[in-house]
Structure formats: C-alpha cells, structure tokens
Amino acid sequence: NAGVMQNPRHLVRRRGQEARLRCSPMKGHSHVYWYRQLPEEGLKFMVYLQKENIIDESGMPKERFSAEFPKEGPSILRIQQVVRGDSAAYFCASSPVRGNEQYFGPGTRLTVT
Amino acid sequence: AQRVTQPEKLLSVFKGAPVELKCNYSYSGSPELFWYVQYSRQRLQLLLRHISRESIKGFTADLNKGETSFHLKKPFAQEEDSAMYYCALSGIDQGAQKLVFGQGTRLTINP
C-alpha cells in the first residue's frame, strides 16, 4: 500500500490564478480530510469528505475554496483567484472508517507570488 | 469550542534525560486525544492515542480530565526522538471526524 498520495508536492501560482491540489487516499479508504498549515501554526481542519459527499466543511473559507471527492479519481481541493494569504502547506488524510486513525499524505506546499 | 494548546514551541534536552511535552485541551464533550510526530523529511504519523493506552517507542501519555491535559513523556530521551510533535483532539460525541491540532513542539535531543 503506497500510502496517501498528494500532488503536486510544490505548487507556485501568481495572484489571481487557480490552484488545484490532488489527494489519492490509501487503498480501501473512503474518508478524506483536508487540513491547512500556515507558517508557524498547527494544522487546521478544512473539510471532510466521503465518496461524492461533503460531510463537514466547517473549516473551509466561505469564498474561493471548494473540495470534491468523486466516485472515481482523487479528491480535489480547488482554490480560485489565489491570494498571498493562501500560501501554506495543505495536507490530506484518509481513513477506512469515520473515527479511525487518519493517515496523512506528504502535503502540497502552495506558494502564491 | 475545541482548542489544543502546546505551550512550548521549542524543547531541547540531553540524550538520556527525561522528556515531557505538554498538551492542554479545552472541550466540553467527550474528547479523544492523540500525539502525532513528524520526523525530518517524513510525513505526519500517529504516535499514540489515549484510548489504546499503548507505549510507543518508550513514550506514554495519560489523559487527565481534571487538569484537561495529555502530556507526552519518555523517561530517557534518544537522539532519534528529535522531531516535531503535535497534540490533537477529536470529539467522540461528534463522530470523531475532524482533528484539532496544537501548534506543535519541536523537540531536539542533544548528544
């Protein structure tokens, strides 16, 4: 089992562009979580998804951010019209069932110039 | 609201000395507490969770509901323990979905 995969590992975007971050959960895992880590801070929960459903998006900014986990393919975190404040490390985690241990990916480091 | 506080951003101890990383939490419901560790150039991984009551790599942590603490301890530090440590909480009564993390403590073990 290759573990949780995230790509790209590093992403540079200019202000106003769109950023798409991908997360492939571990095999057999149908629960995906996204977290954001700003510089010098801990990880902060953004959204929890199961296949084709958003279960909890209480940590998502109200505008420009969206997430999906389609029936086929990876989960996508999409940030439209990026701003400098979006520069952060974005981590994805997966678990086989809700409430079980979450396995983390290596993260995507987004830099907005 | 759920909150996790790790008061020390940096902690440095000598090899063989005891280690204690502090974690305090705030949560009105039934919490589940975790310690995650991130070694250099590796991904975040679970070190231990309070419900399993295991000792991993010599580390232990006891949930103290009276003091709302979940401090991580090891009697004799080793150089390979140098890493970033995060305390985290999830609400059992909320379906244990999201994790709330502290800011992390960078532990350095000096030879």
Side-chain angles (χ1 to χ4, degrees), chain A residues 78-99:
Chain A
R78 184 179 174 210
I79 311 172
Q80 294 178 291
Q81 298 175 306
V82 296
V83 301
R84 287 230 170 95
D86 297 333
S87 294
Y90 291 82
F91 292 92
C92 167
S94 73
S95 69
V97 295
R98 188 174 76 177

Side-chain angles (χ1 to χ4, degrees), chain B residues 29-88:
Chain B
S30 298
E32 182 171 8
L33 275 295
F34 306 80
W35 276 100
Y36 278 82
V37 60
Q38 187 171 29
Y39 300 103
S40 179
R41 292 191 175 84
Q42 294 186 29
R43 61 186 68 191
L44 201 63
Q45 57 187 282
L46 180 66
L47 181 62
L48 53 80
R49 59 198 299 181
H50 90 267
I51 61 170
S52 63
R53 293 185 165 272
E54 288 178 310
S55 172
I56 307 293
K57 299 185 179 184
F59 284 98
T60 58
D62 290 315
L63 179 61
N64 185 325
K65 290 189 176 181
E67 295 184 358
T68 59
S69 68
F70 189 57
H71 303 327
L72 183 68
K73 299 176 184 178
K74 184 169 182 176
F76 307 104
Q78 299 171 299
E79 287 185 65
E80 54 264 34
D81 295 331
S82 293
M84 195 74 185
Y85 290 80
Y86 294 96
C87 183

Side-chain angles (χ1 to χ4, degrees), chain A residues 27-42:
Chain A
K27 191 174 180 181
H29 289 195
S30 59
H31 300 250
V32 166
Y33 312 80
W34 285 92
Y35 295 85
R36 177 167 66 173
Q37 184 176 33
L38 295 170
E40 305 298 319
E41 294 187 16

